[in-house]
Amino acid sequence: MSQLRNDIRNVAVIAHVDHGKTTLVDSMLRQCGLLRENAEVVERVLDSNDLERERGITILAKNTSVNYQGTRINVLDTPGHHDFGGEVERMLTMADGVLLLVDAAEGTLPQTRFVLGKALALDLPTIVVINKIDRKDARCEEVLDEIYDLFIEIGAADDTIDFPVLFTDGRRGLAYRELGDESTDLRPLFETILDTVPAPQDRSDEPLLIHSNNLGWDDYVGRLVIGRVLAGKVRTGQPVFVKGENNATSKAKVMRMYAADGLVRKEISHARSGDIISIAGIDKVTIGDTITDAAETKALPRIKVDDPTLAMSFCANTGPFAGEVGKYVTSRNLRDRLMREAIINVAIRVEETGSTDVFRVVGRGELQMGILVENMRREGFELMLSRPEVVTKEVDGVLNEPLERLYIDCPKDCLGPVTELLGQRKAKLEDMSVGQSRVNLVHTIPTRGLIGFHTEFLNETRGAGIANATFEGWTPWQGEIPQRRTGSLVADRTGTATPYALFHLQARGVFFIDPGVRVYEGMVIGETPNGKMIDVNVTREKKLTNVRAAGKDDNVILSRPKKMSLEQCIEFIDDDELIEVTPNTLRIRKRILGANGRHKKQYGKGNSRIPKPA
């Protein structure tokens, strides 16, 4: 009978976005003495990435460890947004159990179902933690019933449904076994982890097996391979073999090893079965590879993630203002950066195209693409992006497209407009429940129908609606879906936008730019409400003559321009438009900059308004 390593536990924290995972981990670190009470530490200390801190969400999965009564608990913090599901799936393969966090007011949401399904598929024991019980609108008992219903819907086994339940206030660091109990810390949570999460088996006497679950980077030692030692022992200086795709084998050497110790990596000289470590010195390795000490050892199954559903074209910036502020502007720089991302992130795939300047990037969703581009622009890249398109595949000779399950929570008086909006996008109602003031809807909708949906949905619900979607599967092509209902205001010449010109063009639509902004021919500087494209001169200045100077000047009052984030730009653009991304600015432009060129493409030669016959 194999022995267990009772001195260690590996647990992953999973939840829907913004349900308090990282805040709870903060309290765990503090109560185990890894954060001094008087230390100046920012909230959500594990969210070390700038974008994570700005957006308040976890993007990159991370691991830390706490020591409780002589047992090291490796805590794996995972993202909560479904666009980063690839991070969740990788981290779950290193865990022996999971903490399922659910907000005491919001209850079970789409990502709760997604992460729970992944955990149950791996047969991981679950500890249910109802968090944020200090909220005034907390409804703990109702939420617990929803969790039981979710387990039953997913098809969990009877013994799996018999899970321990804890009630926590992550911000204050309190945990309760029952509502109404007395508690001053997270001791009930730690004790439940030790009792519920099984200790890993000690397979130290077997051949070495390490699964490459994640990749990191250190400025001093280079690439880091992060994974769990599934079997055997490993030490510094040990020669190893790396088994990649198709069992391709290469030699390497362990130069240095690290283990998580609170918020820092601590260098270690050896590790054994059950440990989660980082290894430096192995350069030719990708996620999913197997590291072993014998060439004849069979490789572990490669890590699989759900199929990507959206694709975008990334290309070098060819706009008139290209290269003015960017540090990396060539297609070679762009290709190298995208290939590096594909190595680190298994949920992204980079494909070559017929052009050396254009690369097709396939991923999970608009937010994932937006985060990638935002990171690139902060690194100094200039590039252009196309409108997202869905990934299709043939099943038995029939063209199929991805299908999403859409969950909506909106005010009752918005039900009509929301239903009309969804009907136009080929959505089918699956379930509906009506409360006193709000209504919950469940639809299935093609992924194409979600492109540009979020902005329109928020407009229809006046910002009071909540929409979340998860990948459901594949469905036969659903036919044409209406695209953007607004048109574009396009600059017809290069220059600087003037208040005088913008003031007299305000009746045409809503502008994206302020006075004094440089524009060029073909740049989209606003939107029209009627769906038509209009070429306008925003550089026109008032001609001052003796007659005009004697008259009374117009009082120029400009409406506030519409400022869009990168994700909003991705939702907005049409098929004939591109997003120009630089470290300082975001611009929307037409693919064909010249007005004559656009007219010729649309109507044939010359400026004839008669379309060419089909």
Side-chain angles (χ1 to χ4, degrees):
M1 184 176 180
S2 60
Q3 294 183 343
L4 299 178
R5 285 201 60 184
N6 289 310
D7 62 332
I8 192 171
R9 297 291 190 277
N10 298 314
V11 61
V13 187
I14 58 177
H16 189 86
V17 63
D18 200 30
H19 277 199
K21 301 180 302 299
T22 310
T23 302
L24 181 64
V25 175
D26 280 0
S27 296
M28 295 173 69
L29 290 167
R30 190 178 297 277
Q31 293 188 17
C32 288
L34 296 170
L35 298 178
R36 299 195 317 272
E37 291 297 331
N38 61 346
E40 294 185 4
V41 179
V42 295
E43 290 185 355
R44 297 177 292 109
V45 67
L46 282 187
D47 285 348
S48 54
N49 184 287
D50 289 341
L51 280 176
E52 291 178 321
R53 303 210 61 79
E54 291 172 14
R55 296 170 182 251
I57 61 173
T58 300
I59 297 171
L60 302 173
K62 306 173 190 70
N63 66 295
T64 184
S65 70
V66 298
N67 195 295
Y68 179 76
Q69 295 183 353
T71 301
R72 186 168 79 254
I73 302 175
N74 289 317
V75 182
L76 310 172
D77 186 20
T78 63
H81 197 282
H82 68 92
D83 276 15
F84 309 106
E87 299 277 334
V88 177
E89 294 168 48
R90 293 197 324 241
M91 298 306 279
L92 287 181
T93 60
M94 292 195 290
D96 294 312
V98 295
L99 294 181
L100 177 67
L101 256 70
V102 182
D103 190 294
E106 296 182 2
T108 58
L109 290 178
Q111 187 69 0
T112 312
R113 174 187 294 269
F114 172 81
V115 294
L116 178 60
K118 295 297 180 183
L120 295 181
L122 295 172
D123 200 24
L124 297 176
T126 305
I127 301 172
V128 170
V129 179
I130 298 179
N131 195 30
K132 300 187 180 182
I133 61 173
D134 57 318
R135 289 184 57 162
K136 293 181 179 180
D137 54 349
R139 48 187 187 93
C140 299
E141 294 180 357
E142 295 178 28
V143 168
L144 182 56
D145 290 337
E146 292 177 7
I147 296 172
Y148 278 114
D149 292 341
L150 180 59
F151 270 79
I152 294 172
E153 288 177 17
I154 293 178
D158 293 341
D159 57 340
T160 307
I161 297 179
D162 188 22
F163 48 77
V165 180
L166 294 169
F167 303 89
T168 61
D169 179 353
R171 188 181 297 273
R172 294 192 295 164
L174 302 176
Y176 307 88
R177 295 185 186 275
E178 298 287 346
L179 289 174
D181 287 353
E182 294 292 330
S183 178
T184 58
D185 52 26
L186 292 174
R187 192 172 305 167
L189 175 61
F190 289 122
E191 293 174 352
T192 304
I193 291 174
L194 297 184
D195 294 338
T196 305
V197 178
Q201 290 187 354
D202 190 352
R203 301 169 54 193
S204 303
D205 296 333
E206 301 178 19
L208 177 65
L209 280 177
I210 302 175
H211 218 174
S212 173
N213 292 81
N214 207 350
L215 298 178
W217 181 264
D218 186 280
D219 291 336
Y220 297 100
V221 298
R223 176 173 291 185
L224 294 173
V225 183
I226 303 168
R228 174 175 168 175
V229 183
L230 300 175
K233 300 176 183 177
V234 60
R235 67 183 187 281
T236 303
Q238 177 178 340
V240 293
F241 295 90
V242 180
K243 292 184 171 290
E245 287 192 82
N246 302 320
N247 210 33
T249 305
S250 60
K251 293 182 180 180
K253 186 177 181 180
V254 177
M255 302 302 296
R256 292 189 180 183
M257 287 195 303
Y258 304 90
D261 185 16
L263 302 177
V264 298
R265 282 197 304 264
K266 181 171 125 183
E267 187 168 356
I268 57 177
S269 59
H270 62 277
R272 61 191 179 105
S273 172
D275 290 326
I276 296 177
I277 60 173
S278 303
I279 300 175
I282 307 177
D283 293 330
K284 295 182 179 180
V285 63
T286 60
I287 291 175
D289 289 355
T290 302
I291 300 172
T292 181
D293 56 2
E296 62 274 9
T297 302
K298 187 177 179 181
L300 295 165
R302 298 192 68 81
I303 297 174
K304 292 183 179 180
V305 299
D306 286 343
D307 293 335
T309 56
L310 280 182
M312 292 177 66
S313 293
F314 285 49
C315 53
N317 187 8
T318 59
F321 300 157
E324 292 185 349
V325 294
K327 182 179 179 182
Y328 306 105
V329 298
T330 66
S331 59
R332 179 181 59 82
N333 296 140
L334 179 61
R335 183 186 186 280
D336 291 345
R337 178 62 178 84
L338 292 176
M339 292 303 176
R340 284 204 313 271
E341 184 69 24
I343 292 173
I344 296 174
N345 190 347
V346 293
I348 281 199
R349 190 170 69 238
V350 180
E351 302 172 353
E352 304 275 3
T353 65
S355 172
T356 57
D357 293 339
V358 182
F359 307 93
R360 188 170 184 260
V361 180
V362 187
R364 288 287 188 92
E366 295 172 29
L367 179 61
Q368 184 192 37
M369 296 290 192
I371 293 295
L372 169 60
V373 176
E374 188 66 38
N375 281 323
M376 292 176 65
R377 70 182 293 209
R378 294 186 182 201
E379 294 167 12
F381 281 84
E382 286 193 17
L383 65 150
M384 295 192 301
L385 307 171
S386 71
R387 176 181 171 84
E389 59 183 21
V390 297
V391 178
T392 59
K393 68 177 183 180
E394 284 198 5
V395 179
D396 298 329
V398 178
L399 183 65
N400 277 241
E401 64 176 324
L403 185 71
E404 307 273 343
R405 183 169 289 270
L406 178 65
Y407 300 83
I408 286 179
D409 179 4
C410 66
K412 263 186 179 181
D413 57 353
C414 300
L415 179 60
V418 170
T419 302
E420 181 181 357
L421 179 64
L422 290 169
Q424 296 170 355
R425 294 172 175 267
K426 307 289 186 180
K428 296 180 181 178
L429 181 65
E430 298 287 328
D431 190 20
M432 179 173 68
S433 59
V434 181
Q436 292 184 351
S437 60
R438 299 182 72 85
V439 58
N440 291 313
L441 306 171
V442 180
H443 288 78
T444 54
I445 182 172
T447 302
R448 280 184 302 137
L450 293 178
I451 299 175
F453 168 77
H454 190 67
T455 300
E456 292 189 14
F457 172 72
L458 290 179
N459 290 337
E460 296 290 358
T461 60
R462 298 181 292 278
I466 301 172
N468 288 284
T470 57
F471 179 68
E472 180 73 8
W474 297 86
T475 185
W477 185 262
Q478 298 293 300
E480 291 297 322
I481 293 179
Q483 302 297 324
R484 192 179 82 204
R485 291 182 288 184
T486 58
S488 300
L489 287 172
V490 184
D492 66 354
R493 67 198 68 193
T494 299
T496 301
T498 64
Y500 178 78
L502 292 176
F503 175 71
H504 287 88
L505 291 171
Q506 283 188 128
R508 298 294 186 96
V510 178
F511 287 104
F512 299 154
I513 60 172
D514 290 301
V517 172
R518 295 170 64 205
V519 299
Y520 55 79
E521 183 182 8
M523 178 175 163
V524 177
I525 48 87
E527 64 178 332
T528 64
N530 57 9
K532 296 180 180 179
M533 180 185 69
I534 305 176
D535 292 303
V536 294
N537 178 10
V538 293
T539 66
R540 185 162 62 102
E541 297 179 350
K542 182 178 180 180
K543 303 300 181 184
L544 297 180
T545 64
N546 288 336
V547 175
R548 287 181 181 273
K552 184 179 179 181
D553 288 336
D554 292 330
N555 186 19
V556 176
I557 301 176
L558 297 175
S559 300
R560 185 183 297 273
K562 180 180 179 181
K563 299 293 185 179
M564 294 197 294
S565 66
L566 179 58
E567 285 80 17
Q568 290 173 323
C569 289
I570 292 174
E571 285 189 347
F572 174 82
I573 61 172
D574 215 336
D575 292 331
D576 65 337
E577 295 170 345
L578 297 169
I579 305 172
E580 183 182 344
V581 181
T582 74
N584 297 341
T585 56
L586 294 172
R587 303 185 186 99
I588 300 176
R589 51 159 283 184
K590 290 293 182 179
R591 286 181 182 267
I592 302 174
L593 296 180
N596 287 337
R598 294 196 300 274
H599 289 154
K600 287 179 181 178
K601 183 174 178 62
Q602 184 175 6
Y603 300 111
K605 293 184 178 180
N607 290 327
S608 171
R609 291 291 174 177
I610 304 175
K612 291 190 298 183

